[in-house]
Amino acid sequence: MSEASVTSAQAALATGPIKGRSLWDDARRRLLRNPAAVFSLGLLALLAFLATFGTDLDFGVFRIPGFWVHDVDMIFRDRVAIAPTWDNYHWLGTDTEGRDMMARLLFGLRISLLVGVVATAVALTIGVLWGAIAGFFGGWLDQAMMRLVDLFYSIPFIFFVILLMTAIPTNDPFEKIILIFIAIGAVEWLTMSRIVRGQTIALRQREFVEAARAAGASPLQIVTRHIVPNTLGPVVIFATLNIPVVILLESFLSFIGLGVQEPLTSLGQLISRGAQNMEAYPWLLWWPAGLMLLTLMALNFLGDGLRDALDPKDR
Amino acid sequence: MIAQIVKRLLIAIPTMILIIATAFIIMRQTPGGPFDAERQMPPEIERRLKAEFNLDLPLHEQLVAYLGDLAQGDLGPSMKYKDKDVAEIIAEGAPTSFIIGVAAMTLAVLLGGLLGIIAALGQNRPQDYLVMGLALFGVCLPPLVMGPVMQLVFGLELRWLPSQGLMRDQMAISYLLLPVVTLALPQIAIISRLMRASMIEAMRSNAIRTARAKGLPEWQVVWRHALPVAFLPIVSYLGPAIAGVMAGSFVVETVFELPGIGSQFVTGAQQRDYTLVMGVVIVYAGLIILLNLAADILYGLLDPRARRAA
């Protein structure tokens, strides 16, 4: 040990009691040492900020004006499908209807991220509760619940999302988006429930659960207050890596015409519109495809970084 | 082993019936029948038309009738293409979809496996970082993004390859190259990562140390001793990979305008051609279940430990 570190250790001792480091402190330290993950985190924060405040946020009763000069739905009849230019602030050009591409892109990113986060949250809620209950109570309940998960696993769920979206036609774009949240969330929870169940079985025998039971906590309280928080590590990793999957699933639906509807838009829908017009107006494809790639990469790199940080035994 | 296969098959049958029933009920419970979009027709004709497709019966009787037809391999008439059966439509698209799917899977396993081995043998050296960097990049290249981009770059800008279309009778490689590569990219990335991890583990095992101690040349150690063990996780990933390729083929066939099952399904879904959508769901679900089973059996054959456990 070098002299410098000895003195710094002594200095630390002199300043007071040594603080314990929790799993999360360790994880944060490891994450911040991973340049790709830190960069992704920054990039995601930037993207989220742009998506949220780039165009008007309309809550019905009040609206927060976006910082981008053009409106999402504003149609410039005299400037249809113009290439990216500095004139009139059409930095990314306009689409075939004469709407500003930057505004469309920011709005599409907002919807895509929203779908990713909300549908993942739906999947997490179902998956975590399902897995925790099955793992905690065990016995026949566990058997029944997990056999059901096995059964669902063997079903190619992409088809069911498509069936659901085909079968429930709605002309209201907002209803459609709610439907997308539910349809995707309802099929993405299976893996989550397996992970959480495994964790729960490992946790069930631990002393702190026994202590909680001795203190008179009800089974539901033990599951929600003691078991679920301790399964959070894998859950966070899974959630991060699930968001890009959901964004892609929504894009896929939009691509085949079953997803988000006009006047709303998403990255997937912008890509499919761009693909239809790419020969004449290639920028309509390049921007959304590039932004989609950037978003997916940032989420995947961050997920990988989180896995390394929270699950060090894999290294 | 045989008991295991029989048991799995017995589970597969109720699963299939559950899939069919759920799909059927979802499709039929919906407002907006397949005839709504057409011109106003006299009520008598509409009644005759609905009776023709069994749409006038109660739901459970419709389901039983459909299951009965299905057992005889009859997927019913298409509701939009008046003169065709769903089975005929699927049979028309099958060769295209089959060739693309098999080619993409083969490419993914061979190239992904090779890249994984290269990375594993040079662990923590430049080739490892290069391959893993590419793989991380490749996971983010779904057919949805890459399809149109490849079409634009190689088809329309550089004009190296035809960007779309395919004659049903002549499958030219130049037409299939872009769709197959697009479809295979994410799978190549996933498989190379899997392969690297399992190869690194295999190379650390005692069996490999023994093989080296016996004085075998390194390529034999890798090829004969490490590879068969390291390949097992890839085999168990084949099931999900096939499902991924099938879903991807919907996009790829639509983007490149290939006359396969995927593009027919997408059109069918948009036109609310219930029987066609149902038919494709059933065929694909059955295929995925069967191929999963095949992958499991293959795993059992390759891994003596799994055989003993079963």
Side-chain angles (χ1 to χ4, degrees):
Chain A
M1 195 182 266
S2 75
E3 213 166 294
S5 67
V6 171
T7 48
S8 72
Q10 281 168 340
L13 276 177
T15 52
I18 299 169
K19 271 199 203 146
R21 282 203 316 251
S22 76
L23 168 77
W24 293 97
D25 291 333
D26 273 348
R28 188 177 322 116
R29 237 165 15 91
R30 276 193 292 265
L31 187 69
L32 291 180
R33 271 203 308 240
N34 179 344
V38 172
F39 181 75
S40 304
L41 198 61
L43 184 62
L44 277 177
L46 179 69
L47 288 177
F49 175 78
L50 290 176
T52 314
F53 298 108
T55 55
D56 291 5
L57 262 178
D58 193 350
F59 291 102
V61 277
F62 69 100
R63 55 194 295 152
I64 304 170
F67 60 74
W68 182 240
V69 286
H70 295 299
D71 239 16
V72 201
D73 304 319
M74 179 78 81
I75 292 174
F76 300 97
R77 290 190 189 290
D78 51 334
R79 299 177 218 144
V80 171
I82 55 172
T85 163
W86 297 118
D87 302 342
N88 297 315
Y89 293 98
H90 292 305
W91 290 355
L92 301 184
T94 59
D95 69 6
T96 49
E97 256 111 282
R99 292 173 296 193
D100 181 63
M101 200 53 196
M102 176 80 100
R104 301 295 294 166
L105 211 57
L106 290 173
F107 191 78
L109 181 64
R110 178 192 293 170
I111 298 290
S112 279
L113 288 178
L114 192 69
V115 169
V117 170
V118 175
T120 298
V122 172
L124 273 191
T125 314
I126 305 176
V128 167
L129 283 179
W130 193 276
I133 289 172
F136 183 73
F137 291 102
W140 66 268
L141 187 67
D142 180 31
Q143 284 297 316
M145 287 172 88
M146 292 330 278
R147 283 299 83 75
L148 207 60
V149 170
D150 289 347
L151 185 67
F152 286 154
Y153 244 110
S154 63
I155 300 173
F157 256 113
I158 180 76
F159 300 120
F160 272 89
V161 177
I162 295 175
L163 276 181
L164 267 180
M165 300 307 294
T166 323
I168 308 177
T170 161
N171 290 325
D172 186 301
F174 290 95
E175 277 175 22
K176 191 99 183 175
I177 245 187
I178 302 286
L179 194 61
I180 293 175
F181 291 156
I182 296 170
I184 297 181
V187 302
E188 286 288 332
W189 59 273
L190 297 173
T191 314
M192 193 70 257
S193 72
R194 280 190 174 172
I195 297 173
V196 171
R197 172 178 172 267
Q199 291 274 315
T200 307
I201 288 175
L203 290 169
R204 190 170 58 183
Q205 306 300 335
R206 299 275 288 275
E207 290 82 356
F208 69 87
V209 173
E210 212 170 312
R213 194 177 291 135
S218 71
L220 188 70
Q221 274 178 322
I222 297 178
V223 168
T224 54
R225 304 281 287 275
H226 299 274
I227 302 268
V228 168
N230 276 294
T231 61
L232 225 53
V235 169
V236 167
I237 298 168
F238 176 80
T240 318
L241 290 173
N242 195 50
I243 293 175
V245 174
V246 172
I247 290 180
L248 269 180
L249 198 52
E250 186 283 320
S251 306
F252 175 65
L253 288 176
S254 290
F255 191 85
I256 62 179
L258 296 173
V260 176
Q261 276 174 343
E262 294 273 352
L264 299 184
T265 192
S266 71
L267 290 182
Q269 207 214 22
L270 287 170
I271 290 177
S272 79
R273 298 281 303 254
Q276 286 159 15
N277 299 305
M278 64 185 172
E279 201 158 356
Y281 320 114
W283 64 91
L284 294 185
L285 174 64
W286 287 127
W287 301 129
L291 189 59
M292 170 79 103
L293 219 60
L294 210 60
T295 314
L296 293 181
M297 302 236 353
L299 283 164
N300 276 320
F301 273 103
L302 181 63
D304 268 22
L306 277 175
R307 175 158 40 206
D308 290 345
L310 282 168
D311 201 1
K313 61 182 173 293
D314 263 8
R315 278 140 75 89
Chain B
M1 188 68 202
I2 289 171
Q4 182 81 354
I5 296 172
V6 171
K7 197 175 136 204
R8 287 288 304 271
L9 274 175
L10 285 180
I11 297 175
I13 293 167
T15 310
M16 273 312 288
I17 292 179
L18 184 79
I19 293 172
I20 296 167
T22 318
F24 191 85
I25 290 164
I26 294 177
M27 288 310 278
R28 288 292 156 86
Q29 278 300 355
T30 57
F35 304 119
D36 286 4
E38 281 166 43
R39 267 175 301 142
Q40 195 67 42
M41 54 184 120
E44 308 87 60
I45 296 183
E46 197 179 334
R47 217 176 305 127
R48 284 281 299 276
L49 207 51
K50 284 199 167 164
E52 172 78 23
F53 289 106
N54 282 339
L55 287 176
D56 54 342
L57 297 175
L59 195 66
H60 61 275
E61 284 179 33
Q62 285 186 32
L63 176 59
V64 171
Y66 188 78
L67 282 174
D69 287 348
L70 205 60
Q72 298 161 23
D74 182 5
L75 291 167
S78 161
M79 288 187 169
K80 285 286 167 183
Y81 305 100
K82 302 266 144 60
D83 52 338
K84 280 184 187 167
D85 276 358
V86 169
E88 278 171 23
I89 298 180
I90 292 178
E92 266 175 27
T96 314
S97 296
F98 178 78
I99 289 178
I100 297 175
V102 169
M105 282 299 294
T106 314
L107 182 67
V109 171
L110 290 183
L111 195 58
L114 186 68
L115 286 174
I117 294 172
I118 291 173
L121 294 184
Q123 194 191 353
N124 293 335
R125 270 187 298 203
Q127 73 236 46
D128 184 19
Y129 292 126
L130 183 70
V131 170
M132 283 306 102
L134 283 177
L136 208 50
F137 194 66
V139 176
C140 315
L141 300 179
L144 185 80
V145 178
M146 283 320 279
V149 168
M150 300 255 266
Q151 203 177 6
L152 182 57
V153 172
F154 295 107
L156 297 173
E157 299 284 336
L158 299 174
R159 300 201 173 278
W160 288 352
L161 291 165
S163 64
Q164 54 184 232
L166 183 69
M167 290 292 143
R168 219 163 274 207
D169 322 321
Q170 46 188 57
M171 302 260 185
I173 289 179
S174 60
Y175 282 89
L176 291 176
L177 196 60
L178 284 184
V180 167
V181 170
T182 308
L183 206 49
L185 268 180
Q187 303 303 334
I188 293 175
I190 296 172
I191 288 176
S192 68
R193 290 173 80 169
L194 275 178
M195 190 74 201
R196 171 181 178 270
S198 66
M199 194 72 186
I200 285 175
E201 205 181 312
M203 291 299 283
R204 282 195 197 133
S205 69
N206 289 333
I208 296 303
R209 195 173 307 135
T210 311
R212 282 206 180 116
K214 281 195 305 186
L216 283 184
E218 188 67 18
W219 69 267
Q220 270 204 11
V221 172
V222 172
W223 184 253
R224 299 261 301 270
H225 294 266
L227 192 60
V229 179
F231 200 65
L232 285 173
I234 310 293
V235 173
S236 56
Y237 175 69
L238 284 182
I242 289 166
V245 164
M246 280 181 167
S249 73
F250 288 9
V251 173
V252 166
E253 286 176 14
T254 309
V255 170
F256 292 97
E257 288 176 24
L258 306 176
I261 298 176
S263 53
Q264 285 163 344
F265 180 84
V266 173
T267 327
Q270 283 161 353
Q271 295 178 339
R272 299 193 185 290
D273 190 341
Y274 291 152
T275 43
L276 179 58
V277 170
M278 288 275 301
V280 176
V281 167
I282 290 162
V283 168
Y284 271 32
L287 262 179
I288 289 178
I289 290 175
L290 274 182
L291 290 171
N292 261 323
L293 185 64
D296 281 0
I297 293 171
L298 188 63
Y299 192 97
L301 291 177
L302 291 176
D303 187 356
R305 284 167 301 182
R307 216 177 312 160
R308 222 169 294 136

